[in-house]
Amino acid sequence: MKLPAEYKSISLYTIETCGYPPLGFCPFWEHEYGNGDLFGLYWPIGFEDRDPIVAEIAHDSWAFLPSFSSLERFLAAVQLDEEDDDEWVDTPPTLEFDPLSPLACLQAARSHLKSQNVGAAVECLETAARVLPEYTEAQALLCSQYRRLNRHDDAVRAAIQAIISPPSLGGVPSDIAQWLARQSACPAELETDPIWISRKQLTLNFGGVKENAEYAVLRSAIDAYLQQSAFIPAMTLMQTFAEYMTGETISFKERQGFDGEEYVAWQLDVAATQYGKSRLVELPEELA
């Protein structure tokens, strides 16, 4: 993982994860709220060689909020609060302050949609998706706006990305899965995509049942991605699978043969040995 130039300005530490928070997250002590919510660096999947964004854990809702596009922007926000003699306020940055903040882009898009400015909304959502491809909520909303604009191929691409992306980044896109299941055409490059192929078997309804065949569909899709050497979608769906499974009961996980520690070890092994870039955050010696 590539640490940002300003990393010595914060106190990084590592935590173990078993589904949530996602792999690639490294918290820091500054501006913790004392209630389990905290900030940390996060490297989007596939962007391990780039500077991370700053995300926030909202522990009560299991949400993962991609607040700032960089540590530099986060520290600038902190500086502004200190200059105003204000305590840290839990408010996301505006688009004017951080034009590449995925969360700010999403909120701006929703504001544009209220005034029926679809074009501006799509631009904001596309920016959010470029910075954080696994931003489930942005991809799902982008899919709906592409459909509105009759951009069918782009809608299918966004739908598949939303489906493989983790619920901590925007919930479960079950409505997107239902739409995709009704489609009969896709872009040529997605004809062998395992989610496209199995789209009619996916509803993304989880929890509250003794057995759920959709886990087998998702696991088969992960295997298919790996066989295609499509490591970024594979690792994205692996994280998503882990989060869905973590929300299930102990007895359900036992019936499924799901062991959280073994699963995380598999995630790390795929990243390091097949993809070739670790998703494990290793701190420099002076911080360890």
Side-chain angles (χ1 to χ4, degrees):
M1 300 289 198
K2 179 181 183 293
L3 286 172
E6 306 87 355
Y7 77 90
K8 292 184 180 179
S9 299
I10 53 175
S11 305
L12 292 166
Y13 63 98
T14 58
I15 55 174
E16 293 185 0
T17 181
C18 190
Y20 179 86
L23 287 176
F25 177 73
C26 186
F28 48 81
W29 292 114
E30 286 76 10
H31 301 292
E32 286 191 1
Y33 300 113
N35 61 354
D37 294 355
L38 51 88
F39 288 97
L41 304 180
Y42 177 71
W43 286 260
I45 298 170
F47 293 170
E48 293 79 12
D49 294 333
R50 302 185 189 181
D51 282 351
I53 66 173
V54 172
E56 179 184 356
I57 284 180
H59 78 288
D60 285 341
S61 61
W62 273 42
F64 193 64
L65 306 174
S67 301
F68 294 85
S69 65
S70 67
L71 179 57
E72 184 268 337
R73 284 288 82 196
F74 175 84
L75 294 174
V78 171
Q79 181 65 33
L80 286 175
D81 281 344
E82 291 176 349
E83 290 174 357
D84 291 339
D85 294 324
D86 290 335
E87 293 183 1
W88 177 260
V89 180
D90 184 17
T91 54
T94 64
L95 200 62
E96 290 73 22
F97 180 79
D98 190 350
L100 296 179
S101 160
L103 183 57
C105 286
L106 178 68
Q107 293 181 335
R110 293 197 179 282
S111 178
H112 286 310
L113 290 175
K114 288 181 180 178
S115 57
Q116 301 300 310
N117 192 344
V118 178
V122 167
E123 288 183 8
C124 289
L125 292 169
E126 288 176 338
T127 297
R130 282 195 300 272
V131 175
L132 181 61
E134 64 265 38
Y135 197 178
T136 313
E137 189 171 1
Q139 294 285 2
L141 187 56
L142 192 54
C143 173
S144 65
Q145 299 314 304
Y146 283 148
R147 289 159 56 189
R148 189 174 180 179
L149 297 171
N150 294 316
R151 293 171 58 177
H152 179 266
D153 283 0
D154 287 332
V156 171
R157 293 185 184 98
I160 290 175
Q161 182 63 52
I163 288 168
I164 68 172
S165 295
S168 63
L169 277 163
V172 183
S174 54
D175 56 334
I176 300 298
Q178 293 168 12
W179 174 81
L180 189 67
R182 299 192 298 269
Q183 305 312 302
S184 58
C186 73
E189 76 272 12
L190 293 177
E191 289 178 353
T192 60
D193 183 274
I195 296 297
W196 171 256
I197 292 171
S198 59
R199 65 194 182 280
K200 295 184 179 180
Q201 300 171 264
L202 288 172
T203 64
L204 299 187
N205 291 322
F206 299 100
V209 295
K210 187 174 182 179
E211 300 292 339
N212 191 332
E214 296 201 31
Y215 281 107
V217 176
L218 294 179
R219 185 59 184 261
S220 294
I222 293 170
D223 292 339
Y225 279 134
L226 292 175
Q227 290 170 4
Q228 296 171 7
S229 296
F231 298 119
I232 292 175
M235 292 189 300
T236 304
L237 186 52
M238 290 171 80
Q239 177 60 43
T240 300
F241 186 99
E243 291 187 16
Y244 285 139
M245 189 62 78
T246 300
E248 299 284 359
T249 64
I250 293 175
S251 58
F252 183 92
K253 286 183 277 193
E254 288 176 346
R255 287 193 297 272
Q256 293 283 321
F258 179 82
D259 182 291
E261 291 184 0
E262 291 180 358
Y263 189 88
V264 170
W266 182 48
Q267 286 181 276
L268 293 171
D269 182 68
V270 166
T273 65
Q274 297 189 51
Y275 174 56
K277 297 177 184 178
S278 176
R279 292 294 293 168
L280 184 64
V281 181
E282 296 183 359
L283 300 182
E285 289 186 4
E286 70 266 24
L287 299 181

